[in-house]
Amino acid sequence: MLNKAGIRCSVEDKHSFTSLHPSDNTRADLTARGFGNMGQDLLMDFCYGHPGAKSYMKKKNIVRSPGIIFPDMEKRKNKMYLEKANQLNITFMPMASDVYGSMSVTFLSILTKAAEMISEISGVALNQVAKHWIQRISFAIYKSHCETFSA
């Protein structure tokens, strides 16, 4: 999707954080060149979880609703990457989704930004571009979960 928006990307950039510490092998899943805040590179780390997992079911007084797991997932990813990214003047965003294809607000904001760029380039209406990519990514997440489960 980001390539179609004209954004250069690299998967698991091995040099993400080695400038902070040469032995730091931590790396985000995807780097989008110049797609972050004020033209910074954007590091993204993807995660997905199951809203019926024991760790979420044990919490008392929470409403079972789509996206209830996203704050915990984003907090965990921010703890791993955000400080390092800030030290390097790079934007970091956790991309959380559940196994059914529902996506966090952060994830959707990146999809929307990319969809706007694709719409502008292609001349296709924004709502059609956004709908296409959200459905395509949601399906890919769901299919991946099914394939993993069946293995």
Side-chain angles (χ1 to χ4, degrees):
M1 176 182 197
L2 293 176
N3 286 326
K4 293 212 180 283
I7 305 297
R8 290 183 310 116
C9 297
S10 58
V11 176
E12 291 191 345
D13 186 348
K14 295 177 183 176
H15 306 291
S16 295
F17 301 111
T18 54
S19 63
L20 293 176
H21 194 280
S23 63
D24 189 344
N25 292 322
T26 306
R27 54 182 169 241
D29 294 326
L30 187 65
T31 302
R33 304 288 176 213
F35 198 56
N37 298 333
M38 298 184 296
Q40 295 175 332
D41 288 350
L42 172 63
L43 298 180
M44 293 170 272
D45 203 70
F46 294 81
C47 56
Y48 68 96
H50 195 294
K54 286 182 183 180
S55 58
Y56 298 110
M57 298 302 284
K58 288 180 184 177
K59 293 183 178 184
K60 298 182 186 215
N61 301 322
I62 63 170
V63 177
R64 301 279 170 233
S65 63
I68 194 70
I69 63 176
F70 299 149
D72 286 344
M73 294 168 68
E74 289 182 342
K75 183 178 178 181
R76 194 169 51 249
K77 291 295 181 179
N78 279 329
K79 186 176 181 181
M80 289 173 60
Y81 296 102
L82 188 58
E83 184 179 330
K84 293 177 185 181
N86 287 339
Q87 289 175 8
L88 293 171
N89 201 29
I90 298 172
T91 304
F92 172 74
M93 293 184 134
M95 307 297 274
S97 62
D98 68 23
V99 295
Y100 302 111
S102 181
M103 295 172 237
S104 69
V105 171
T106 304
F107 199 151
L108 288 171
S109 73
I110 294 299
L111 285 177
T112 301
K113 184 177 175 182
E116 288 170 352
M117 295 171 75
I118 293 169
S119 175
E120 190 175 306
I121 291 167
S122 67
V124 177
L126 174 60
N127 64 337
Q128 290 178 310
V129 173
K131 181 179 177 182
H132 167 79
W133 283 102
I134 289 170
Q135 287 177 339
R136 186 170 172 185
I137 292 169
S138 290
F139 180 74
I141 293 166
Y142 183 73
K143 185 176 177 187
S144 171
H145 175 67
C146 291
E147 288 171 356
T148 302
F149 186 72
S150 69

